[in-house]
Amino acid sequence: MSGHSLKPVLEEVQDKLKIRVHAGREAMGKAAAADICAAMQRLLAAKERIRIVFAAAPSQNECLAALVQTEGLDWSRVTAFHMDEYIGLPSSAPQRFGNFLSQRLFDQVSPGEVHLIDGMNDPEAECDRYSRLITAAPIDMVVLGIGENGHIAFNDPPVADFTDPLWVKQVKLDEACRLQQVNDGCFASLEEVPEYALTLTIPALMSGTHLFCIVPGASKRSAVQKTLYGDISEACPASILRRHPDCTLYVDQESYGEIRNE
């Protein structure tokens, strides 16, 4: 996965956040996957096991597909997590994020360990269980996206907390967030989208050593603009990424907006 096609059409830095603008979704996803694989190889050369948190959303499809096709990665030394899950969806529901990631990634590459959030478990007990798993050792990598309302994981603006004392918590989903699930084709109507979810908190995500944030599509343009150029505040939770010491944002021209030739 190298070559001219993966070269971004624009690179910039906003505060500490590295931005790579690609011509389209396919190039964006492949470029992100190439960087993720390179980071995995470096980490696996230095330590016995690595721990990676993955997002589950259609925005990640191109990257996940490219990761599956990459040869030579020792996934048996990877412990995989995901960052959020609906409360109350039965285990067979295709909209469950654990099922999404199992289908598109975990079942195909067979990580050594996969820890899925159980949205049918008692929420308080599940927060406690998953918190213990996620804090057992440092998080090496986080592969994430940004929601239309600027959320990262399910930290919507009303519940986002940059100094959250928790690592995993129950949240009530913002209507804009629930509408996005309908717009993405995950649910047929707003009524079908669960109102509550479990999510890794912002400090949990920010604890990752290396962050790779993948955000394609015109529907994300406003969120990308606020993330890059608005105030760093919980009104746009993703804006905190500008303070992370090693986060790269991968966008296509639709989500980034017009490229200004200066």
Side-chain angles (χ1 to χ4, degrees):
M1 256 192 288
S2 61
H4 184 68
S5 64
L6 301 190
K7 194 170 164 50
V9 295
L10 177 71
E11 295 184 62
E12 63 171 331
V13 177
Q14 187 67 9
D15 296 320
K16 295 178 181 176
L17 180 60
K18 299 179 285 287
I19 302 137
R20 308 273 186 271
V21 186
H22 290 271
R25 292 181 74 118
E26 193 77 19
M28 174 213 64
K30 286 181 175 177
D35 289 350
I36 291 164
C37 292
M40 289 174 67
Q41 296 282 31
R42 284 194 304 273
L43 288 162
L44 287 167
K47 55 201 295 190
E48 184 55 37
R49 297 193 68 81
I50 63 173
R51 292 156 57 86
I52 310 177
V53 176
F54 291 94
S59 62
Q60 309 297 299
N61 283 347
E62 290 80 8
C63 176
L64 295 176
L67 281 179
V68 166
Q69 291 160 10
T70 303
E71 296 178 355
L73 282 173
D74 187 357
W75 284 92
S76 70
R77 292 163 57 201
V78 173
T79 300
F81 300 87
H82 63 134
M83 53 185 61
D84 44 19
E85 186 59 271
Y86 296 111
I87 289 174
L89 279 188
S91 58
S92 60
Q95 296 97 335
R96 268 175 73 135
F97 293 140
N99 292 341
F100 179 100
L101 281 169
S102 295
Q103 182 187 354
R104 286 167 176 77
L105 183 65
F106 301 151
D107 290 350
Q108 300 188 59
V109 299
S110 301
E113 292 180 52
V114 176
H115 296 296
L116 299 180
I117 301 169
D118 184 357
M120 292 297 283
N121 194 6
D122 172 74
E124 193 173 326
E126 186 63 8
C127 286
D128 184 54
R129 183 188 77 87
Y130 213 71
S131 294
R132 288 200 306 273
L133 288 168
I134 204 88
T135 58
I139 299 167
D140 296 292
M141 298 168 59
V142 179
V143 181
L144 70 159
I146 296 174
E148 290 175 14
N149 63 356
H151 74 208
I152 47 178
F154 266 149
N155 296 283
D156 291 332
V159 298
D161 182 354
F162 290 167
T163 58
D164 207 312
L166 302 173
W167 276 63
V168 185
K169 69 180 180 181
Q170 178 178 336
V171 293
K172 188 175 195 298
L173 298 177
D174 196 20
E175 185 164 308
C177 169
R178 294 174 65 227
L179 274 172
Q180 182 188 325
Q181 311 307 318
V182 179
N183 297 339
D184 281 349
C186 302
F187 293 88
S189 68
L190 184 65
E191 292 69 41
E192 292 179 28
V193 185
E195 288 189 44
Y196 293 90
L198 301 176
T199 185
L200 297 193
T201 62
I202 289 174
L205 298 173
M206 291 289 285
S207 79
T209 307
H210 310 285
L211 271 54
F212 303 84
C213 187
I214 300 148
V215 191
S219 67
K220 302 291 180 73
R221 187 177 298 181
S222 172
V224 167
Q225 291 292 310
K226 288 174 184 164
T227 296
L228 295 180
Y229 308 116
D231 293 336
I232 296 178
S233 85
E234 283 100 345
C236 178
S239 61
I240 194 66
L241 299 176
R242 284 160 40 199
R243 290 191 180 147
H244 192 278
D246 186 20
C247 180
T248 304
L249 174 67
Y250 302 85
V251 290
D252 61 4
Q253 287 188 240
E254 286 198 330
S255 59
Y256 181 77
E258 190 174 337
I259 293 177
R260 297 171 291 281
N261 294 315
E262 295 175 359

